[in-house]
PDB file of all heavy atoms in Angstrom:
ATOM      1  N   LEU H 242     -28.229  47.387  36.198  1.00  0.00           N
ATOM      2  CA  LEU H 242     -29.269  48.400  36.381  1.00  0.00           C
ATOM      3  C   LEU H 242     -29.754  48.442  37.827  1.00  0.00           C
ATOM      4  O   LEU H 242     -30.017  49.516  38.373  1.00  0.00           O
ATOM      5  CB  LEU H 242     -30.435  48.136  35.430  1.00  0.00           C
ATOM      6  CG  LEU H 242     -30.143  48.319  33.936  1.00  0.00           C
ATOM      7  CD1 LEU H 242     -31.364  47.933  33.104  1.00  0.00           C
ATOM      8  CD2 LEU H 242     -29.720  49.752  33.634  1.00  0.00           C
ATOM      9  N   ILE H 243     -29.887  47.292  38.446  1.00  0.00           N
ATOM     10  CA  ILE H 243     -30.342  47.245  39.842  1.00  0.00           C
ATOM     11  C   ILE H 243     -29.324  47.930  40.749  1.00  0.00           C
ATOM     12  O   ILE H 243     -29.700  48.701  41.651  1.00  0.00           O
ATOM     13  CB  ILE H 243     -30.558  45.783  40.277  1.00  0.00           C
ATOM     14  CG1 ILE H 243     -31.792  45.201  39.587  1.00  0.00           C
ATOM     15  CG2 ILE H 243     -30.712  45.689  41.791  1.00  0.00           C
ATOM     16  CD1 ILE H 243     -32.022  43.742  39.888  1.00  0.00           C
ATOM     17  N   TYR H 244     -28.055  47.662  40.517  1.00  0.00           N
ATOM     18  CA  TYR H 244     -27.016  48.237  41.376  1.00  0.00           C
ATOM     19  C   TYR H 244     -27.010  49.767  41.286  1.00  0.00           C
ATOM     20  O   TYR H 244     -26.876  50.464  42.297  1.00  0.00           O
ATOM     21  CB  TYR H 244     -25.650  47.681  40.974  1.00  0.00           C
ATOM     22  CG  TYR H 244     -24.505  48.198  41.808  1.00  0.00           C
ATOM     23  CD1 TYR H 244     -24.325  47.785  43.125  1.00  0.00           C
ATOM     24  CD2 TYR H 244     -23.598  49.117  41.289  1.00  0.00           C
ATOM     25  CE1 TYR H 244     -23.289  48.265  43.901  1.00  0.00           C
ATOM     26  CE2 TYR H 244     -22.549  49.601  42.049  1.00  0.00           C
ATOM     27  CZ  TYR H 244     -22.398  49.168  43.352  1.00  0.00           C
ATOM     28  OH  TYR H 244     -21.366  49.645  44.120  1.00  0.00           O
ATOM     29  N   ASN H 245     -27.158  50.293  40.082  1.00  0.00           N
ATOM     30  CA  ASN H 245     -27.129  51.738  39.895  1.00  0.00           C
ATOM     31  C   ASN H 245     -28.476  52.406  40.123  1.00  0.00           C
ATOM     32  O   ASN H 245     -28.531  53.568  40.547  1.00  0.00           O
ATOM     33  CB  ASN H 245     -26.646  52.069  38.469  1.00  0.00           C
ATOM     34  CG  ASN H 245     -25.173  51.801  38.281  1.00  0.00           C
ATOM     35  OD1 ASN H 245     -24.327  52.613  38.637  1.00  0.00           O
ATOM     36  ND2 ASN H 245     -24.843  50.648  37.725  1.00  0.00           N
ATOM     37  N   GLY H 246     -29.570  51.697  39.871  1.00  0.00           N
ATOM     38  CA  GLY H 246     -30.892  52.314  39.965  1.00  0.00           C
ATOM     39  C   GLY H 246     -31.536  52.243  41.334  1.00  0.00           C
ATOM     40  O   GLY H 246     -32.510  52.945  41.597  1.00  0.00           O
ATOM     41  N   MET H 247     -30.995  51.397  42.214  1.00  0.00           N
ATOM     42  CA  MET H 247     -31.598  51.232  43.542  1.00  0.00           C
ATOM     43  C   MET H 247     -30.640  51.644  44.646  1.00  0.00           C
ATOM     44  O   MET H 247     -30.683  51.104  45.772  1.00  0.00           O
ATOM     45  CB  MET H 247     -32.057  49.780  43.736  1.00  0.00           C
ATOM     46  CG  MET H 247     -33.103  49.330  42.736  1.00  0.00           C
ATOM     47  SD  MET H 247     -33.697  47.640  43.030  1.00  0.00           S
ATOM     48  CE  MET H 247     -34.541  47.849  44.605  1.00  0.00           C
ATOM     49  N   GLY H 248     -29.778  52.581  44.340  1.00  0.00           N
ATOM     50  CA  GLY H 248     -28.910  53.149  45.373  1.00  0.00           C
ATOM     51  C   GLY H 248     -27.758  52.288  45.810  1.00  0.00           C
ATOM     52  O   GLY H 248     -27.192  52.517  46.894  1.00  0.00           O
ATOM     53  N   GLY H 249     -27.359  51.318  44.991  1.00  0.00           N
ATOM     54  CA  GLY H 249     -26.236  50.465  45.367  1.00  0.00           C
ATOM     55  C   GLY H 249     -24.922  51.218  45.478  1.00  0.00           C
ATOM     56  O   GLY H 249     -24.045  50.851  46.259  1.00  0.00           O
ATOM     57  N   THR H 250     -24.799  52.294  44.742  1.00  0.00           N
ATOM     58  CA  THR H 250     -23.560  53.091  44.784  1.00  0.00           C
ATOM     59  C   THR H 250     -23.464  53.962  46.022  1.00  0.00           C
ATOM     60  O   THR H 250     -22.407  54.513  46.311  1.00  0.00           O
ATOM     61  CB  THR H 250     -23.484  53.985  43.528  1.00  0.00           C
ATOM     62  OG1 THR H 250     -24.647  54.818  43.482  1.00  0.00           O
ATOM     63  CG2 THR H 250     -23.397  53.143  42.269  1.00  0.00           C
ATOM     64  N   HIS H 251     -24.583  54.091  46.770  1.00  0.00           N
ATOM     65  CA  HIS H 251     -24.591  54.932  47.977  1.00  0.00           C
ATOM     66  C   HIS H 251     -25.031  54.141  49.211  1.00  0.00           C
ATOM     67  O   HIS H 251     -25.601  54.708  50.150  1.00  0.00           O
ATOM     68  CB  HIS H 251     -25.521  56.137  47.785  1.00  0.00           C
ATOM     69  CG  HIS H 251     -25.155  56.992  46.626  1.00  0.00           C
ATOM     70  ND1 HIS H 251     -25.653  56.787  45.358  1.00  0.00           N
ATOM     71  CD2 HIS H 251     -24.304  58.065  46.531  1.00  0.00           C
ATOM     72  CE1 HIS H 251     -25.160  57.697  44.538  1.00  0.00           C
ATOM     73  NE2 HIS H 251     -24.330  58.483  45.214  1.00  0.00           N
ATOM     74  N   GLY H 252     -24.765  52.852  49.195  1.00  0.00           N
ATOM     75  CA  GLY H 252     -25.112  52.036  50.355  1.00  0.00           C
ATOM     76  C   GLY H 252     -26.567  51.645  50.437  1.00  0.00           C
ATOM     77  O   GLY H 252     -27.028  51.183  51.502  1.00  0.00           O
ATOM     78  N   GLY H 253     -27.327  51.810  49.369  1.00  0.00           N
ATOM     79  CA  GLY H 253     -28.737  51.452  49.355  1.00  0.00           C
ATOM     80  C   GLY H 253     -28.952  49.956  49.144  1.00  0.00           C
ATOM     81  O   GLY H 253     -28.006  49.177  49.087  1.00  0.00           O
ATOM     82  N   PRO H 254     -30.220  49.547  49.024  1.00  0.00           N
ATOM     83  CA  PRO H 254     -30.536  48.114  48.880  1.00  0.00           C
ATOM     84  C   PRO H 254     -30.106  47.526  47.541  1.00  0.00           C
ATOM     85  O   PRO H 254     -30.113  46.313  47.366  1.00  0.00           O
ATOM     86  CB  PRO H 254     -32.057  48.091  49.019  1.00  0.00           C
ATOM     87  CG  PRO H 254     -32.512  49.449  48.562  1.00  0.00           C
ATOM     88  CD  PRO H 254     -31.427  50.389  49.011  1.00  0.00           C
ATOM     89  N   GLY H 255     -29.730  48.397  46.600  1.00  0.00           N
ATOM     90  CA  GLY H 255     -29.364  47.901  45.282  1.00  0.00           C
ATOM     91  C   GLY H 255     -28.180  46.950  45.290  1.00  0.00           C
ATOM     92  O   GLY H 255     -28.138  45.987  44.517  1.00  0.00           O
ATOM     93  N   GLU H 256     -27.219  47.209  46.173  1.00  0.00           N
ATOM     94  CA  GLU H 256     -26.034  46.351  46.217  1.00  0.00           C
ATOM     95  C   GLU H 256     -26.401  44.931  46.658  1.00  0.00           C
ATOM     96  O   GLU H 256     -25.962  43.950  46.052  1.00  0.00           O
ATOM     97  CB  GLU H 256     -24.989  46.923  47.178  1.00  0.00           C
ATOM     98  CG  GLU H 256     -23.742  46.052  47.283  1.00  0.00           C
ATOM     99  CD  GLU H 256     -22.723  46.577  48.284  1.00  0.00           C
ATOM    100  OE1 GLU H 256     -23.011  47.618  48.924  1.00  0.00           O
ATOM    101  OE2 GLU H 256     -21.662  45.948  48.426  1.00  0.00           O
ATOM    102  N   LYS H 257     -27.204  44.824  47.703  1.00  0.00           N
ATOM    103  CA  LYS H 257     -27.573  43.499  48.214  1.00  0.00           C
ATOM    104  C   LYS H 257     -28.395  42.732  47.193  1.00  0.00           C
ATOM    105  O   LYS H 257     -28.178  41.532  46.961  1.00  0.00           O
ATOM    106  CB  LYS H 257     -28.345  43.640  49.520  1.00  0.00           C
ATOM    107  CG  LYS H 257     -28.667  42.325  50.191  1.00  0.00           C
ATOM    108  CD  LYS H 257     -29.294  42.544  51.565  1.00  0.00           C
ATOM    109  CE  LYS H 257     -29.525  41.207  52.266  1.00  0.00           C
ATOM    110  NZ  LYS H 257     -30.084  41.384  53.636  1.00  0.00           N
ATOM    111  N   ILE H 258     -29.347  43.411  46.560  1.00  0.00           N
ATOM    112  CA  ILE H 258     -30.188  42.743  45.559  1.00  0.00           C
ATOM    113  C   ILE H 258     -29.352  42.353  44.341  1.00  0.00           C
ATOM    114  O   ILE H 258     -29.507  41.243  43.797  1.00  0.00           O
ATOM    115  CB  ILE H 258     -31.343  43.676  45.143  1.00  0.00           C
ATOM    116  CG1 ILE H 258     -32.242  43.982  46.341  1.00  0.00           C
ATOM    117  CG2 ILE H 258     -32.162  43.039  44.027  1.00  0.00           C
ATOM    118  CD1 ILE H 258     -33.334  44.990  46.056  1.00  0.00           C
ATOM    119  N   ALA H 259     -28.456  43.244  43.930  1.00  0.00           N
ATOM    120  CA  ALA H 259     -27.591  42.921  42.791  1.00  0.00           C
ATOM    121  C   ALA H 259     -26.695  41.737  43.084  1.00  0.00           C
ATOM    122  O   ALA H 259     -26.390  40.932  42.195  1.00  0.00           O
ATOM    123  CB  ALA H 259     -26.744  44.146  42.419  1.00  0.00           C
ATOM    124  N   HIS H 260     -26.275  41.617  44.346  1.00  0.00           N
ATOM    125  CA  HIS H 260     -25.447  40.467  44.729  1.00  0.00           C
ATOM    126  C   HIS H 260     -26.224  39.167  44.582  1.00  0.00           C
ATOM    127  O   HIS H 260     -25.639  38.143  44.194  1.00  0.00           O
ATOM    128  CB  HIS H 260     -24.972  40.628  46.172  1.00  0.00           C
ATOM    129  CG  HIS H 260     -23.713  41.436  46.296  1.00  0.00           C
ATOM    130  ND1 HIS H 260     -23.469  42.278  47.367  1.00  0.00           N
ATOM    131  CD2 HIS H 260     -22.627  41.530  45.482  1.00  0.00           C
ATOM    132  CE1 HIS H 260     -22.285  42.846  47.209  1.00  0.00           C
ATOM    133  NE2 HIS H 260     -21.759  42.418  46.066  1.00  0.00           N
ATOM    134  N   TYR H 261     -27.508  39.175  44.876  1.00  0.00           N
ATOM    135  CA  TYR H 261     -28.301  37.957  44.683  1.00  0.00           C
ATOM    136  C   TYR H 261     -28.285  37.532  43.215  1.00  0.00           C
ATOM    137  O   TYR H 261     -28.099  36.353  42.891  1.00  0.00           O
ATOM    138  CB  TYR H 261     -29.741  38.186  45.146  1.00  0.00           C
ATOM    139  CG  TYR H 261     -29.939  38.176  46.638  1.00  0.00           C
ATOM    140  CD1 TYR H 261     -30.577  39.237  47.292  1.00  0.00           C
ATOM    141  CD2 TYR H 261     -29.499  37.112  47.409  1.00  0.00           C
ATOM    142  CE1 TYR H 261     -30.761  39.236  48.669  1.00  0.00           C
ATOM    143  CE2 TYR H 261     -29.678  37.093  48.782  1.00  0.00           C
ATOM    144  CZ  TYR H 261     -30.309  38.163  49.407  1.00  0.00           C
ATOM    145  OH  TYR H 261     -30.491  38.150  50.769  1.00  0.00           O
TER     146      TYR H 261
END
Side-chain angles (χ1 to χ4, degrees):
L242 292 176
I243 289 176
Y244 181 73
N245 288 278
M247 300 183 66
T250 58
H251 302 90
E256 179 183 2
K257 185 173 184 177
I258 298 175
H260 274 145
Y261 284 127

